[in-house]
Amino acid sequence: MPSATKSLTARQGVCILGATGTIGVNTLDVISRHPEKYEVIALTAYHSVDKLYEQCVDYKPLYAVMVDERAAQQLSDRLKEAGVSTQVLSGAESLEQVTALDEVHQVMAAIVGAAGLLPALAAARSGKRILLANKEALVMSGDLFLKEVKQNNAELLPIDSEHNAIFQCMPEHYAKGLQSAGVNKILLTASGGPFRQRDIDTLHAVTPEEAVAHPNWVMGQKISVDSATMMNKGLEVIEACWLFNCDARMVQVVIHPQSVIHSMVSYSDGSVLAQMGNPDMRTPIAHAMAWPERMKSGVEPLDIFEVAKLEFEKPDFDRFPCLQLAFESLQTGGTATSILNAANEIAVEAFLTKKLSFTNISRVIEKTLESTAVAVANNIQTVLQADTEARQQATEWVNQLGFSRAQVVWTF
């Protein structure tokens, strides 16, 4: 984790992995408010040519990466026509290349899913300040990733609103051990998603359109579905255990529908510290970019009179079986969390493309965990192999548990 002795005294070069997604767009918004402090060095995307083109015209990065080669050529041609000198690179390996540039000081790791693991590792090996929005780097390879951070004198700051909140509520020397620092428990908040109060017997009929309609946050489709199943919270439990060097018994998930308290830390003296604010990702982004200082994010201050009340509930594992599967995978250890993540990615994609029912997301994950061997996660090759095998298994389970075209009936 970072050292508070480092301060941002010069203009910082920023690389944004996943620039066209919600986190990437919000990061650029924060940067635009502080042009004297930050310079965009590299922007990356998979195949969103139009959006990345607009960003390159606006921010004029030195480099742009499109993972898809055809998209890269389209982007290059359009930028040349516009007279923009940004150099366009292609392929997944270019993601790792731009994170290691000497001009880059901070890397926003915001690529969704397992695809973000290797670029985040490259940033750690290059000793950068890593603004970690990608959960999978820690979910899949927590021990390996943190060793790279430490060995290369990199800095790791969490961007997830919950983990960023926990970080803000932690004592200065928490890395020496939570219990010795007086920490009793981490209270990880969750909105409960759009189906917190829906009749549990109707969840099988949930449509993708309903699942991505989060009541509080503006997010991408995959993470919105993860929020609806609470797998997102399960992944965050795993991530919290790695970030704050604790086991699952130290983490309590708390459903908080208003999404105003982003997480809390309970202390042995009876104190509970909470970080509060409007549900806007620019707050944790600005906090991590400027840390240990503070800067404006563009987010309006929280009006506690408008909020009026705060509610809290315990999660129901019958309603949210994915959350329980995450806790069980964490307890199993090794590559189990990689298997969990891979199966979830396959199942969510099948649901979003209307090949699988909402309630069968958890069933695909459970069956994949049962049918895929768990190994010790002592090297990146083992982790990636587990990811590959789990995706194959999950795809087979989707084929068994999913809809045939004739069976699909969606109500709009």
Side-chain angles (χ1 to χ4, degrees):
M1 296 301 285
S3 168
T5 59
K6 292 189 178 182
S7 181
L8 306 183
T9 56
R11 200 166 182 235
Q12 298 276 298
V14 181
C15 167
I16 304 178
L17 301 171
T20 60
T22 303
I23 297 294
V25 170
N26 280 318
T27 302
L28 287 171
D29 181 89
V30 172
I31 289 173
S32 69
R33 298 170 189 277
H34 303 278
E36 77 287 355
K37 293 183 178 180
Y38 303 101
E39 176 185 8
V40 178
I41 301 298
L43 299 174
T44 83
Y46 187 79
H47 54 52
S48 301
V49 176
D50 291 343
K51 204 164 187 178
L52 195 60
Y53 168 79
E54 292 173 2
Q55 292 176 341
C56 288
V57 170
D58 289 341
Y59 294 94
K60 309 228 171 8
L62 296 180
Y63 299 92
V65 178
M66 298 294 293
V67 176
D68 182 84
E69 292 188 8
R70 290 185 180 180
Q73 188 59 56
Q74 293 174 22
L75 178 64
S76 180
D77 292 343
R78 289 182 62 179
L79 289 175
K80 286 178 182 177
E81 290 176 7
V84 177
S85 61
T86 297
Q87 182 178 344
V88 179
L89 307 175
S90 66
E93 66 282 354
S94 295
L95 299 173
E96 300 176 48
Q97 180 182 339
V98 293
T99 65
L101 292 169
D102 290 340
E103 298 92 338
V104 170
H105 303 93
Q106 300 193 15
V107 175
M108 173 57 76
I111 295 175
V112 175
L117 171 59
L118 293 179
L121 272 171
R125 289 167 180 154
S126 300
K128 309 301 185 183
R129 171 174 284 197
I130 305 163
L131 312 173
L132 190 65
N134 171 279
K135 296 177 177 62
E136 289 74 17
L138 290 174
V139 169
M140 294 178 65
S141 62
D143 187 48
L144 296 170
F145 187 82
L146 292 176
K147 283 179 179 177
E148 293 289 356
V149 169
K150 185 175 181 179
Q151 290 173 3
N152 294 284
N153 198 31
E155 293 183 301
L156 181 61
L157 285 157
I159 295 299
D160 264 352
S161 61
E162 296 83 359
H163 301 102
N164 183 268
I166 294 164
F167 178 67
Q168 293 192 53
C169 294
M170 280 289 178
E172 183 177 355
H173 302 296
Y174 73 87
K176 295 180 180 179
L178 293 189
Q179 291 186 331
S180 63
V183 174
N184 184 48
K185 194 173 283 289
I186 291 170
L187 304 173
L188 188 71
T189 59
S191 69
F195 310 129
R196 178 176 62 90
Q197 294 180 315
R198 178 164 169 161
D199 184 346
I200 199 169
D201 293 329
T202 69
L203 290 178
H204 68 280
V206 164
T207 68
E209 291 76 13
E210 291 173 315
V212 300
H214 195 279
N216 300 334
W217 294 92
V218 177
M219 305 182 293
Q221 287 192 324
K222 192 267 183 183
I223 196 170
S224 294
V225 175
D226 283 350
S227 179
T229 65
M230 282 194 73
M231 175 57 84
N232 190 45
K233 206 55 49 180
L235 299 178
E236 288 175 6
V237 169
I238 298 167
E239 188 179 5
C241 289
W242 286 115
L243 281 170
F244 304 108
N245 191 25
C246 65
D247 62 36
R249 291 172 297 182
M250 288 280 288
V251 183
Q252 172 67 58
V253 174
V254 180
I255 293 181
H256 168 51
Q258 290 80 19
S259 296
V260 168
I261 294 178
H262 300 302
S263 274
M264 298 170 275
V265 175
S266 173
Y267 284 84
S268 57
D269 62 3
S271 301
V272 176
L273 301 187
Q275 190 271 338
M276 303 171 67
N278 285 315
D280 191 316
M281 287 307 299
R282 290 176 297 174
T283 295
I285 290 168
H287 172 265
M289 291 185 71
W291 190 87
E293 301 170 5
R294 297 270 182 173
M295 67 182 185
K296 292 182 178 180
S297 65
V299 180
E300 290 296 319
L302 179 68
D303 185 342
I304 59 174
F305 299 108
E306 183 178 340
V307 174
K309 66 177 182 178
L310 302 173
E311 299 172 294
F312 306 97
E313 304 169 11
K314 289 184 178 180
D316 177 0
F317 284 153
D318 290 332
R319 180 178 294 276
F320 301 113
C322 286
L323 180 59
Q324 183 169 11
L325 291 171
F327 271 102
E328 291 172 355
S329 297
L330 182 59
Q331 184 67 32
T332 300
T335 57
T337 53
S338 294
I339 295 166
L340 172 90
N341 178 73
N344 180 63
E345 288 191 18
I346 294 296
V348 170
E349 178 62 23
F351 168 70
L352 285 170
T353 53
K354 302 184 178 182
K355 298 175 183 175
L356 189 71
S357 72
F358 181 78
T359 49
N360 271 344
I361 292 175
S362 61
R363 290 189 66 198
V364 166
I365 298 167
E366 183 178 15
K367 293 294 186 182
T368 303
L369 285 165
E370 291 173 354
S371 59
T372 309
V374 176
V376 178
N378 54 6
N379 60 73
I380 196 63
Q381 290 75 24
T382 299
V383 170
L384 295 176
Q385 180 63 31
D387 177 78
T388 299
E389 291 177 4
R391 288 174 189 276
Q392 293 170 349
Q393 288 287 331
T395 300
E396 292 179 11
W397 284 113
V398 166
N399 291 337
Q400 291 189 44
L401 298 172
F403 301 116
S404 68
R405 291 188 178 182
Q407 291 175 311
V408 179
V409 179
W410 296 100
T411 303
F412 298 94

